[in-house]
Amino acid sequence: MATGPAFDDVLAAAQAGAAWAFEVLYRDLSPAVTGYLRLHGALDPDDLASETFLAVFRGLAGFSGDEDALRSWVFTIAHRRLVDDWRRRSRRPQLAEDAGDLLPETPGGDVEDDVLTRLGTETVHRLCAGLPADQRSVLLLRVLADLTVEQVAAVMGRSVGSVKALQRRGLRRLRAELEAAGTPRTGEASVTTGTAGAPLVARPAMTGAR
């Protein structure tokens, strides 16, 4: 069981300028943020992550919300820094806004979540490297950042329907790569489907243990 102050206490302390609370927030979030930036080809992911957290700590006094909201806000800032990095290098990937992004919503969201759960974070990291940037962003934010579809849409400035379409297309590509490597298709083994919106990966709560 986690020990130390609850998230609300950590947040309040960080907003009051307590160094230990900043350390807790940074330790909890920085590995995922840095990994997200690195897998997107940031020129210097550690430096970009530092810029992200400087912006987070500067704006923290005005933040209001729970732990999930904080994660979403931090990754919104990280994504914006990543886009700025692409622009600076004049190699920003063109994120498609075609009719395929607006596919009608179909049943099966829980099945897609189960695919992500089965793949696991490490496998997704490896396979996502070959995806188009927009599909990679969606899957990494879903798995690495543990954000909901709605939160990913807010981070990327897209509609929920567009994010779901990108997720479906990315999962199709990952499934094809897994099948080519001899990994069984999802559905060939028994599946226990969780509720919609359930976390994709378990993560420990923030604590103040030092």
Side-chain angles (χ1 to χ4, degrees), residues 38 47 86 97 116 122 149 193:
R38 178 175 293 109
D47 185 61
W86 285 337
E97 277 288 1
L116 294 177
E122 182 178 349
V149 169
T193 303

Side-chain angles (χ1 to χ4, degrees), residues 125-170:
H125 286 186
R126 175 171 52 82
L127 294 175
C128 279
L131 292 177
D134 49 1
Q135 295 174 23
R136 185 168 66 242
S137 286
V138 169
L139 295 186
L140 291 179
L141 287 169
R142 294 282 281 129
V143 177
L144 190 63
D146 195 20
L147 302 185
T148 65
V149 169
E150 292 75 15
Q151 289 171 326
V152 173
V155 168
M156 297 181 67
R158 286 174 170 263
S159 68
V160 170
S162 174
V163 167
K164 287 182 177 179
L166 289 168
Q167 176 172 290
R168 285 195 294 271
R169 292 210 299 271

